[in-house]
Amino acid sequence: MTEYNTYIFDLDGTLLDTLDDLMASVNYALRQYGMPEHSRENIRRFVGNGVRLLMIRAVPNGENNPQFEDCFRTFREYYLEHSLDTTRPYAGVPELLENLKRRGKRLAVVSNKFYAATQELCRHFFPDTIEVAIGEHEAEGIRKKPAPDTVNEALRQLGVGKDGAVYIGDSDVDLQTARNSSLPCISVLWGFRERDFLIENGATTFAATPFDIL
């Protein structure tokens, strides 16, 4: 694996297994409005494009449902209180980040998760390794992934350029984000998408375990 100077990570499905807390929060919100709940596999397919699109996919008729905004608000409130219930780093991730940090690498997270949750999770799990954590709508005019805005903002806050930087994620959105940011991409195989799906979306470099990134 090529060695880089700056590592920009996706969060959900890349550093953290957040699926069960997301599923619990989605289904809690749906129950409050008498809507059908979803399986873990459905939630896995729904994630990757931010929490609003997650709920658009989960709520019958999406944004056209008259109860959508209330249901979405309920989800957000519940998730902010329960985002740490079962969420954990994937095996080997803390050691990967510590190794990179020890070698002087610059580390950041960019996520389509809303800002407060992104910040809380990174502070809780990676307080000594992740320098910059950027979520959705952190600043006015910064578009969510796959636009390059959050990656560019992370690089700006780190005070580094794109030379020697790499983007690491688990989804088609991450591949698009890397392309739009003119960065190489490492696709991880322990996250929310399968290898064949990633290949279909243009992935060429893979990591089967976090240690493959070193």
Side-chain angles (χ1 to χ4, degrees):
M1 190 73 68
T2 302
E3 185 167 341
Y4 298 95
N5 299 319
T6 303
Y7 292 74
I8 308 293
F9 292 92
D10 172 54
L11 188 60
D12 296 49
T14 300
L15 298 182
L16 295 178
D17 185 353
T18 57
L19 194 58
D20 286 334
D21 284 338
L22 286 168
M23 179 181 70
S25 300
V26 168
N27 285 335
Y28 172 84
L30 294 173
R31 282 197 303 275
Q32 308 315 301
Y33 298 92
M35 300 175 186
E37 299 180 35
H38 287 282
S39 67
R40 193 175 193 271
E41 189 54 37
N42 278 351
I43 299 299
R44 179 190 295 275
R45 290 189 294 105
F46 293 165
V47 297
N49 299 86
V51 291
R52 187 175 183 88
L53 190 51
L54 165 62
M55 290 304 292
I56 289 172
R57 291 165 171 164
V59 170
N61 298 317
E63 289 178 305
N64 293 323
N65 190 309
Q67 293 181 302
F68 175 80
E69 295 298 341
D70 290 338
C71 188
F72 180 47
R73 183 173 60 253
T74 299
F75 161 80
R76 286 174 60 99
E77 292 170 353
Y78 187 89
Y79 184 68
L80 282 173
E81 294 179 1
H82 295 274
S83 64
L84 295 172
D85 286 1
T86 64
T87 289
R88 296 291 182 272
Y90 288 101
V93 161
E95 294 81 1
L96 164 67
L97 298 180
E98 289 162 8
N99 185 296
L100 293 173
K101 186 73 172 180
R102 193 163 53 244
R103 286 157 45 202
K105 308 304 181 182
R106 309 301 302 275
L107 308 178
V109 160
V110 295
S111 176
N112 275 345
K113 186 187 293 295
F114 39 92
Y115 176 74
T118 302
Q119 290 282 306
E120 179 183 15
L121 289 167
C122 288
R123 278 196 303 265
H124 182 82
F125 289 110
F126 314 119
D128 300 320
T129 50
I130 296 298
E131 300 174 65
V132 171
I134 296 177
E136 185 177 359
H137 302 312
E138 181 180 6
E140 185 176 353
I142 293 183
R143 299 166 296 169
K144 69 177 186 177
K145 301 185 295 184
D149 301 33
T150 50
V151 171
N152 292 338
E153 178 63 13
L155 294 171
R156 187 191 70 79
Q157 290 190 26
L158 288 172
V160 300
K162 292 183 179 182
D163 288 346
V166 63
Y167 185 93
I168 301 166
D170 72 305
S171 73
D172 53 324
V173 173
D174 293 316
L175 286 159
Q176 294 167 21
T177 302
R179 284 195 292 270
N180 292 339
S181 303
S182 300
L183 292 181
C185 185
I186 300 171
S187 296
V188 306
L189 298 178
W190 58 81
F192 297 160
R193 299 291 184 265
E194 302 295 333
R195 183 188 183 100
D196 288 347
F197 176 87
L198 294 170
I199 290 174
E200 289 172 7
N201 284 275
T204 58
T205 305
F206 301 94
T209 75
F211 301 104
D212 292 333
I213 296 172
L214 293 175

